[in-house]
Amino acid sequence: MPPTDRIRDHAGQGATTVAAHRARRRLRADRARQLADLLRRQLLTGGFPTDTLPHESILAGDYGASRNTVREALDLLRAEGLVDRQPGVGTVVVARKYPHGLDRLMGLAETLHEHGRVTNEVRTAGPTPAPAPVAERLHVPPGTDVLYIERLRRLGGLPLSLDLTYIPLDIGTALLGADLENTDVFRLLETITGRPLGHAEITLEAVTADAHSAAVLEAPRGTAVLMLERLTHLDDGRPVDLEFIRFRGDRITMSGLLRRSC
Amino acid sequence: MPPTDRIRDHAGQGATTVAAHRARRRLRADRARQLADLLRRQLLTGGFPTDTLPHESILAGDYGASRNTVREALDLLRAEGLVDRQPGVGTVVVARKYPHGLDRLMGLAETLHEHGRVTNEVRTAGPTPAPAPVAERLHVPPGTDVLYIERLRRLGGLPLSLDLTYIPLDIGTALLGADLENTDVFRLLETITGRPLGHAEITLEAVTADAHSAAVLEAPRGTAVLMLERLTHLDDGRPVDLEFIRFRGDRITMSGLLRRSC
């Protein structure tokens, strides 16, 4: 074998070792993600009643995984802020996510009433000329004043969401005098108009929070937020409430039931 | 006025100036977010037909905002990867988000058929002993083999989601021989069982992607993903498909309609 080939051969072996090492790492990362997803589900549904996870060796046995994979899975959940390691105690659940219903149109206080009290810090509330896309959706002439409200919403004192709300001024004026700090806008709309709400078109997105939004939500920089855009109509079809809501990703889940046939 | 008071007074003025400066910055950041949300909506619904945004001065006029606020709003959208600035052209739309329906239970290829072809890179497919939480949800004894599939799903070649799927083995065995690369699992399930799907329980979360998941999805580190956990049942109620899906936050929106009364 000529020397160049030997060199090539050697390089080839090196490449194989590197490739094998990478493949092992990839496999372990894949398994860690797979296990983290199963554990996340358990965490979110209260599957660890004492809020302490079983020891790594028990998890390894239960899930047929290596200790390294278990450790990597717990690291993923820790990076998401769901668990933490406490010396002498083990891995404990530190975050709780609250389930926001996706099956029925409900306000935040309404949907979370069993989890605690929702309070709203009103950051801004006042008339503003409706920009064209707002006017169009609320069926008012562009430039007409609408009520703009900005609220930081908390559950049991912890920031949950930052809500930007546009409401036609004929309804909005009455809203300005209402108890916005302790009442869902949905409930106020129904009281003011004397009609039930009908339906809402919603769009959900996952977005990385900008620095300012993260600061307002008291969340770490770069935190993931669940963005909800929602246009709510009265039961007679009139659009009355356009909202842009940023939920802290580590505090909210949206749950619902989908059917195959309508 | 004694000298100490003058000093205090001076310090007080400094503090006021700093506070006023902070308040202005906060106000501008709030307005930038408000404007960014309106522009995001326009971007996502094709409101800029040429994929070029109007000049900053026009946006400033249209939205009654200062040029600085417009610039800051565009920076927010750029940080999200939705727009980019091109010298001599202006601000252009660079990302497209595809709407995944929330009203009916549909597979990815089905819901996105008008947007392009969905292809699936099968990373893993084979039997694995069901961990307890999987066994419980799929109504099989713990430790029984179930089919585990891992797919990277693309639309028109671009990664959209990473799907981890568990299926009872009596159905899963037939799935293994099917064209998983080009067909939704939903469609295969209906073909194999000869029954339509019935309903699914879903949970949505916004999560910051771990480094490995981001790499698989070819997304930037720290990217926001829309996590969907979904347990799908046949029309006779049998649970047949447990999935953990990570959608790239910058490529998918979920849209639907909620009603106030059920």
Side-chain angles (χ1 to χ4, degrees):
Chain A
M1 188 191 280
T4 49
D5 269 11
R6 251 188 289 162
I7 289 163
R8 248 186 239 142
D9 200 50
H10 183 74
Q13 277 180 5
T16 309
T17 311
V18 169
H21 179 67
R22 279 205 191 125
R24 271 199 308 274
R25 268 188 49 189
R26 171 183 145 165
L27 192 62
R28 192 162 80 214
D30 285 342
R31 286 192 177 146
R33 181 198 303 112
Q34 193 184 344
L35 175 54
D37 284 353
L38 298 178
L39 293 175
R40 176 191 292 106
R41 158 87 198 174
Q42 303 280 91
L43 294 176
L44 297 184
T45 55
F48 302 111
T50 62
D51 279 355
T52 308
L53 273 66
H55 190 266
E56 285 174 12
S57 58
I58 295 177
L59 288 174
D62 283 356
Y63 289 88
S66 73
R67 288 281 288 271
N68 277 338
T69 300
V70 171
R71 247 174 249 137
E72 210 164 313
L74 295 177
D75 282 346
L76 293 178
L77 297 173
R78 196 162 50 163
E80 279 185 43
L82 295 177
V83 302
D84 209 352
R85 254 179 232 177
Q86 285 180 5
V89 181
T91 305
V92 296
V93 182
V94 289
R96 189 164 295 278
K97 291 203 185 191
Y98 299 96
H100 194 304
L102 263 181
D103 290 325
R104 245 192 85 205
L105 182 57
M106 284 202 283
L108 195 66
E110 221 177 335
T111 195
L112 298 181
H113 73 276
E114 39 182 279
H115 299 284
R117 195 164 145 246
V118 171
T119 51
N120 310 307
E121 178 188 325
V122 180
R123 307 178 81 234
T124 307
T128 191
V134 172
E136 192 195 323
R137 303 195 75 202
L138 288 180
H139 294 184
V140 300
T144 317
D145 269 358
V146 293
L147 175 65
Y148 176 68
I149 313 172
E150 212 173 290
R151 293 169 300 163
L152 177 62
R153 314 196 69 183
R154 298 171 196 269
L155 179 71
L158 292 176
L160 267 197
S161 69
L162 177 62
D163 296 24
L164 281 48
T165 306
Y166 300 86
I167 293 171
L169 204 58
D170 60 313
I171 300 170
T173 306
L175 254 176
L176 269 178
D179 183 10
L180 282 169
E181 307 212 331
N182 295 292
T183 324
D184 281 346
V185 162
F186 276 4
R187 212 177 122 196
L188 295 172
L189 289 172
E190 294 187 323
T191 308
I192 290 167
T193 63
R195 308 193 69 98
L197 297 175
H199 71 280
E201 291 123 28
I202 66 162
T203 300
L204 280 165
E205 294 169 71
V207 170
T208 306
D210 61 281
H212 184 66
S213 299
V216 172
L217 286 164
E218 297 169 22
R221 253 178 189 257
T223 200
V225 298
L226 194 58
M227 275 274 315
L228 171 62
E229 201 218 84
R230 183 175 62 194
L231 178 65
T232 304
H233 305 253
L234 292 176
D235 71 338
D236 62 4
R238 182 185 172 198
V240 289
D241 176 10
L242 175 61
E243 301 205 30
F244 298 87
I245 306 174
R246 279 170 175 77
F247 288 104
R248 274 184 63 147
D250 58 346
R251 298 218 168 122
I252 280 280
T253 68
M254 299 257 169
S255 293
L257 194 140
L258 301 187
R259 294 186 187 284
R260 184 69 165 157
S261 49
C262 295
Chain B
M1 189 189 282
T4 49
D5 270 9
R6 249 187 291 160
I7 290 164
R8 249 187 238 141
D9 200 53
H10 183 74
Q13 278 180 6
T16 309
T17 312
V18 169
H21 179 68
R22 279 206 191 125
R24 273 199 306 275
R25 268 187 50 189
R26 173 185 144 164
L27 192 62
R28 190 160 83 215
D30 285 343
R31 287 193 176 144
R33 181 197 303 114
Q34 193 184 346
L35 175 55
D37 284 353
L38 298 177
L39 294 176
R40 175 191 292 108
R41 158 86 197 178
Q42 302 280 91
L43 293 176
L44 296 184
T45 55
F48 303 111
T50 62
D51 278 355
T52 308
L53 271 67
H55 189 266
E56 285 174 11
S57 58
I58 296 177
L59 289 175
D62 284 355
Y63 289 89
S66 73
R67 289 281 289 271
N68 277 338
T69 300
V70 171
R71 248 173 248 135
E72 209 165 314
L74 295 177
D75 281 347
L76 293 179
L77 297 172
R78 197 162 49 163
E80 280 185 43
L82 295 176
V83 303
D84 209 350
R85 254 178 231 179
Q86 285 180 5
V89 181
T91 305
V92 296
V93 183
V94 289
R96 189 165 294 281
K97 290 203 185 191
Y98 299 96
H100 195 302
L102 263 180
D103 290 325
R104 247 192 83 206
L105 182 59
M106 285 203 282
L108 195 66
E110 222 178 333
T111 195
L112 298 180
H113 72 276
E114 39 182 277
H115 298 283
R117 196 165 145 246
V118 170
T119 51
N120 309 307
E121 179 189 325
V122 180
R123 307 177 82 234
T124 307
T128 190
V134 172
E136 191 195 325
R137 304 196 75 202
L138 288 179
H139 294 185
V140 300
T144 317
D145 270 357
V146 292
L147 175 64
Y148 176 69
I149 314 173
E150 212 173 291
R151 293 169 302 162
L152 177 62
R153 315 195 68 182
R154 298 171 196 269
L155 178 71
L158 293 176
L160 268 198
S161 69
L162 176 62
D163 297 22
L164 281 48
T165 306
Y166 300 85
I167 293 171
L169 205 58
D170 60 313
I171 301 171
T173 306
L175 255 176
L176 268 178
D179 182 10
L180 281 169
E181 307 212 331
N182 295 293
T183 324
D184 281 345
V185 161
F186 276 4
R187 208 175 126 199
L188 295 172
L189 288 172
E190 293 186 323
T191 308
I192 290 167
T193 63
R195 306 193 70 98
L197 297 176
H199 70 280
E201 291 122 30
I202 66 162
T203 300
L204 280 164
E205 295 169 71
V207 169
T208 306
D210 61 280
H212 184 66
S213 299
V216 172
L217 287 164
E218 297 169 24
R221 251 177 192 258
T223 201
V225 299
L226 194 58
M227 275 275 314
L228 170 61
E229 201 218 87
R230 183 174 63 195
L231 178 64
T232 305
H233 305 252
L234 292 176
D235 71 337
D236 62 4
R238 182 185 172 196
V240 288
D241 175 11
L242 175 61
E243 302 205 29
F244 298 86
I245 306 174
R246 278 170 177 76
F247 287 104
R248 274 184 63 146
D250 58 347
R251 299 218 168 122
I252 279 280
T253 67
M254 300 256 167
S255 293
L257 194 139
L258 301 188
R259 293 183 189 286
R260 183 70 165 158
S261 48
C262 293

